[in-house]
């Protein structure tokens, strides 16, 4: 029995005593992602006119205001975590999000909706910086890539699940969708309260940043910033165009679901193996390989192959995405200075969010100007540039992650 317990503990990539706080943090960000994507993408476009007496264009503006506020506040969120601690900042952000949601039914003017959406974005902005910093601090030495990948892969699917659920229940009327959002946001607050007051590896109250610490953070962020912008832009190119592109390619709904499911299963299966390699000092190699596979897969899709060919292409994409997640996590944790990591990671996430926001716009422009294969052509170029940058500029990263 004791041997079995020790082997189970050895398989968990977290330090003893940190599992419950990390589970709480993962629950908090998963609920928050479910709610915000469900409300702004799945629910509000369906009820804007009937319940809020607003045009549907107001919901698009609200989503933009929410994302802009989230993006701009990621850096200050990281600074706040460094200064005031994990639990109060993340729980406070979740509470602010709950307040914005509670006021939503009383919103009947355009500018009030925009204000509440921005307020919700400010509240949400602390979630990911808090979760990734807690997970990185809680991981065992040499396990940060795997730990962060596990948390990310549990939380990110809630984006799509929230949209699908709210798209299904939004038309039914009544208060249930908003009550569900409020209940899940309360659950997010509960998860945040399980987080520690201070960072796991922080034993002193942080002092005001010195010039040397600012320079150290800037040096560590410089090689990561272009990569963060390029890779999130690459990964978000196709999302909003998925169903129109599938229709143009003659892929019906269930075959599309099976293709996506195959890619997702292979991505999840790849993460432990890729994470082990990344955590052993080859983060840059794993990340470059992942983007090389994604770029190659996009090139193949751009040739408009027969439907059967999308299954092996999905497998290639799955391996690529399964390499990117742990590779990036290990690269960031190995590059950012630990003492200033929350503030630095907040700044980096601002750039990542910018790439996520601009990716769909670039994909839509490519779709309109080039055609159905346009987003894949652009995506292939961006992915291969990113892979080449990781391969060529190896000396920009610490020796611990540049193999």
């Amino acid at each position: 029995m004791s041997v079995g317990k020790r082997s189970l503990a050895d398989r968990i990539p977290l330090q003893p005593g940190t599992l419950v706080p990390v589970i709480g943090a993962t629950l908090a960000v998963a609920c928050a992602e479910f709610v915000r994507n469900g409300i702004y993408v799945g629910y509000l476009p369906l009820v804007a006119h009937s319940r809020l007496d607003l045009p549907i264009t107001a919901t698009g503006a609200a989503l933009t205001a929410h994302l802009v506020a989230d993006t701009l506040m990621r850096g200050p969120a990281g600074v706040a975590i460094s200064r005031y601690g994990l639990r109060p900042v993340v729980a406070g952000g979740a509470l602010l999000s709950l307040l914005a949601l509670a006021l939503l039914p009383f919103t009947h003017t355009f500018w009030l909706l925009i204000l509440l959406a921005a307020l919700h974005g400010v509240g949400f902005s602390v979630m990911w910086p808090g979760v990734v910093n807690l997970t990185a601090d809680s991981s065992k030495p040499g396990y940060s890539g795997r730990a962060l990948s596990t948390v990310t892969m549990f939380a990110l699917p809630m984006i799509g699940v929230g949209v699908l659920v709210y798209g299904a229940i939004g038309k039914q009327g009544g208060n249930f969708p908003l009550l569900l959002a409020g209940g899940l946001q309360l659950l997010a607050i509960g998860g945040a309260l399980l987080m520690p007051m201070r960072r796991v590896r922080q034993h002193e109250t942080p002092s005001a940043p010195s010039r040397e610490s600012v320079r150290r953070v800037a040096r560590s962020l410089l090689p990561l910033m272009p990569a963060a912008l390029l890779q999130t832009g690459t990964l978000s190119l196709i999302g909003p165009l998925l169903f129109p592109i599938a229709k143009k390619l003659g892929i019906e709904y269930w075959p599309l679901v099976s293709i996506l499911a195959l890619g997702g299963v292979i991505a999840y299966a790849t993460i432990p193996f890729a994470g082990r390699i990344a955590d052993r000092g080859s983060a840059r190699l794993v990340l470059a390989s992942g983007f090389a596979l994604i770029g190659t897969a996009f090139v193949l899709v751009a040739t408009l192959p027969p439907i059967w060919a999308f299954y092996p292409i999905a497998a290639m994409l799955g391996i690529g995405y399964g390499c990117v997640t742990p590779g990036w996590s290990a690269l960031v944790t190995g590059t950012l200075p630990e003492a200033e990591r929350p503030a630095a990671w907040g700044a980096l996430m601002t750039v990542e969010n910018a790439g996520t926001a601009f990716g769909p716009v670039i994909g839509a422009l490519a779709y309109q100007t080039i055609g159905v294969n346009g987003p894949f052509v652009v995506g292939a170029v961006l992915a291969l540039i990113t892979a080449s940058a990781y391969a060529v500029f190896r000396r920009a990263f610490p020796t611990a992650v540049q193999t």
Side-chain angles (χ1 to χ4, degrees), residues 248-272:
K248 289 276 189 179
L249 295 175
I251 304 175
E252 299 296 332
Y253 178 79
W254 286 113
L256 176 62
V257 170
S258 66
I259 291 169
L260 294 175
L262 175 64
V265 168
I266 291 178
Y268 273 88
T270 302
I271 284 175

Side-chain angles (χ1 to χ4, degrees), residues 112-369:
L112 184 55
L113 178 63
I114 299 303
L115 177 62
L116 290 179
L119 186 68
H120 190 182
V122 173
F124 183 90
S125 67
V126 305
M127 304 304 293
W128 277 109
V131 170
V132 297
N133 277 290
L134 172 63
T135 306
D137 286 349
S138 302
S139 62
K140 296 175 182 176
Y143 282 80
S144 59
R146 278 164 282 184
L148 283 163
S149 299
T150 302
V151 168
T152 300
M153 297 304 280
F154 269 110
L156 287 184
M158 292 300 104
I159 296 174
V161 173
V163 173
L164 293 174
V165 170
Y166 272 87
I169 67 176
K171 294 182 179 180
Q172 297 176 5
N175 295 321
F176 176 71
L178 292 176
L179 290 174
L180 176 63
L184 289 172
Q185 198 61 48
L186 282 171
L187 196 58
I189 295 173
L193 292 175
L194 293 174
M195 299 173 73
M197 188 69 184
R198 291 288 176 185
R199 293 175 58 201
V200 174
R201 296 179 186 172
Q202 178 173 297
H203 304 291
E204 299 176 356
T205 303
S207 57
S210 63
R211 287 187 178 181
E212 178 56 33
S213 67
V214 171
R215 283 195 292 267
R216 186 165 58 247
V217 169
R219 284 195 300 268
S220 67
L221 283 174
L222 192 60
L224 292 170
M225 289 291 193
L229 184 67
L230 276 175
Q231 69 186 28
T232 52
T234 301
L235 302 182
S236 63
L237 277 169
I238 313 298
L241 299 168
L242 183 62
F243 287 104
I245 288 175
K247 186 176 181 180
K248 289 276 189 179
L249 295 175
I251 304 175
E252 299 296 332
Y253 178 79
W254 286 113
L256 176 62
V257 170
S258 66
I259 291 169
L260 294 175
L262 175 64
V265 168
I266 291 178
Y268 273 88
T270 302
I271 284 175
F273 175 72
R276 194 176 300 115
I277 297 174
D279 284 332
R280 289 175 178 172
S282 299
R284 187 190 56 82
L285 175 62
V286 170
L287 198 51
S289 301
F291 274 105
L293 287 170
I294 291 171
T296 303
F298 279 179
V299 168
L300 294 174
V301 176
T303 65
L304 307 180
I307 293 176
W308 65 263
F310 282 91
Y311 289 94
I313 292 173
M316 183 183 297
L317 276 171
I319 297 172
Y321 282 113
C323 289
V324 165
T325 301
W328 177 246
S329 298
L331 184 72
V332 172
T333 53
T335 301
L336 297 182
E338 186 176 313
E340 296 90 5
R341 190 183 287 159
W345 216 323
L348 187 62
M349 283 186 165
T350 299
V351 178
E352 288 182 297
N353 250 24
T356 302
F358 288 121
V361 176
I362 296 172
L365 288 173
Y367 182 76
Q368 291 176 354
T369 55

Side-chain angles (χ1 to χ4, degrees), residues 67-79:
L67 293 175
V68 168
D70 175 24
T71 299
L72 294 178
M73 291 302 295
R74 291 280 176 111
V79 174

